Amino acid sequence: MIDQKAFQTDIDAASDKLRTRIGVRGRSFAQRLRRAGRALPGSARQAGWRLVELQAMVAHPRMRRLVRAPDVNAALAELNLHLDKVNAGERRKDRLLGLAGSVVANILLLALLVIAVLRWRGLV
């Protein structure tokens, strides 16, 4: 059997990591996990959903007896293993560089199109 308050503290910590590291918002841990989607690898996603299932079981007095601490610890360790590796600043920088790259590529294509049209019309 597991302590409900300690379990909820661990879930809140994981939920806060989802918010700060991945940047997903939501009212509950399940909603944040759903919104994280493919930002998490499959094993971390499965561990997160296992924690959601265990959270529902811990909330019920009779089902709480079925929750084993090693299961909770393994799921938390798997999820935290990935979340600890995520660097929020690096993700933000990569996103901005990708956006800048696509803008530059579009401007280059537009310039080539304008030059092609000007040549076709005989103006250049």
Side-chain angles (χ1 to χ4, degrees):
M1 194 162 136
I2 191 163
D3 181 32
Q4 187 175 5
K5 289 182 181 181
F7 179 76
Q8 191 58 43
T9 303
D10 292 339
I11 292 292
D12 291 341
S15 183
D16 288 341
K17 279 186 183 180
L18 278 173
R19 172 70 176 113
T20 57
R21 302 286 177 109
I22 306 268
V24 291
R25 296 180 185 181
R27 283 181 255 152
S28 66
F29 177 66
Q31 191 174 26
R32 286 184 180 178
L33 194 62
R34 190 176 315 111
R35 288 183 178 175
R38 296 238 181 225
L40 293 173
S43 59
R45 240 179 306 147
Q46 287 177 351
W49 287 115
R50 180 69 181 139
L51 287 171
V52 170
E53 292 172 2
L54 292 173
Q55 189 177 21
M57 290 175 70
V58 167
H60 193 278
R62 287 189 181 180
M63 297 294 284
R64 188 179 312 140
R65 291 183 291 157
L66 300 176
V67 176
R68 295 182 9 210
D71 293 341
V72 172
N73 293 336
L76 279 170
E78 181 66 36
L79 183 61
N80 286 329
L81 178 71
H82 175 71
L83 290 177
D84 289 339
K85 292 179 186 176
V86 173
N87 184 350
E90 189 73 25
R91 283 177 49 93
R92 194 176 308 116
K93 183 182 79 168
D94 288 345
R95 199 174 316 131
L96 287 174
L97 286 175
L99 178 66
S102 68
V103 167
V104 168
N106 285 333
I107 289 173
L108 183 64
L109 286 174
L110 180 65
L112 289 174
L113 182 65
V114 167
I115 291 171
V117 168
L118 290 174
R119 277 203 114 158
W120 177 52
R121 302 283 302 200
L123 300 173
V124 174

